[in-house]
Amino acid sequence: MATLRISLRPGERIFVNGAVLKVDRKTTLEFLNDVTFLLESHVMQADEATTPLRQLYFVIQMMIMDPNDSDAARQLFLSSRSLMLKTYRNRDIIDGLTEASELVERNRCFEALKRVRSLIPLEDESLGRTADAFPPPQSGRTELRLAAGGAR
């Protein structure tokens, strides 16, 4: 397995296997084995979960942040996803929900989170929303770090 290095800025938090870590200075973490993590810039607050897909994102996020107690969140994901598949007409959203569901079933929650996140702009468009309350990360640096191994 390849080593995964993540650089954090002062004051930045990272959620690792259910634990929250905050660094006080620029730090590089090196993961030598499989790990599930979520960077603070990808964490959605409960009050930002204002649409069905954002709520689904929030549920998957809870599975990542508390992996030892994710059964209730997993059940909520399954029931929410089923309702959404019956509601949405946009083929891209339906296909994305199906992919996200398959990822969750394979316990690849980080990839499912990214897939649902990619659907949020489509949902905003279908709802006639112009401003995204949960924008993508501002720096390419974060995206590169996540693409290198993200979770697990």
Side-chain angles (χ1 to χ4, degrees):
M1 180 186 150
T3 299
L4 175 65
R5 288 187 183 108
I6 298 177
S7 296
L8 301 172
R9 297 180 200 110
E12 195 171 4
R13 292 185 298 173
I14 184 170
F15 301 82
V16 181
N17 289 348
V20 182
L21 306 170
K22 182 177 179 181
V23 297
D24 62 351
R25 62 184 65 96
K26 184 176 178 181
T27 304
T28 298
L29 299 175
E30 195 170 323
F31 294 107
L32 303 176
N33 62 342
D34 287 343
V35 63
T36 301
F37 72 89
L38 191 60
L39 294 171
E40 182 175 20
S41 63
H42 287 119
V43 173
M44 179 182 289
Q45 300 302 313
D47 64 341
E48 295 173 318
T50 57
T51 66
L53 283 175
R54 282 178 173 80
Q55 291 168 2
L56 195 65
Y57 182 99
F58 189 81
V59 169
I60 298 169
Q61 170 184 292
M62 297 315 315
M63 286 188 259
I64 294 170
M65 292 174 81
D66 193 3
N68 294 327
D69 191 29
S70 65
D71 291 340
R74 190 173 298 274
Q75 290 303 315
L76 183 56
F77 169 84
L78 293 172
S79 62
S80 298
R81 184 254 357 222
S82 295
L83 290 171
M84 287 183 204
L85 286 173
K86 293 175 186 174
T87 303
Y88 283 106
R89 300 288 178 246
N90 181 310
R91 190 78 235 162
D92 292 330
I93 292 177
I94 292 168
D95 291 345
L97 286 170
T98 301
E99 289 172 32
S101 182
E102 290 168 359
L103 289 165
V104 167
E105 287 174 20
R106 294 188 348 241
N107 208 30
R108 305 299 294 177
C109 293
F110 181 79
E111 288 88 353
L113 190 77
K114 287 187 351 181
R115 186 64 180 111
V116 169
R117 186 183 190 117
S118 74
L119 301 174
I120 290 174
L122 296 174
E123 179 185 53
D124 285 345
E125 185 179 306
S126 71
L127 294 173
R129 295 176 76 168
T130 55
D132 188 352
F134 187 58
Q138 295 176 0
S139 75
R141 180 181 80 86
T142 301
E143 287 300 317
L144 290 174
R145 291 186 307 187
L146 295 175
R152 300 202 54 119

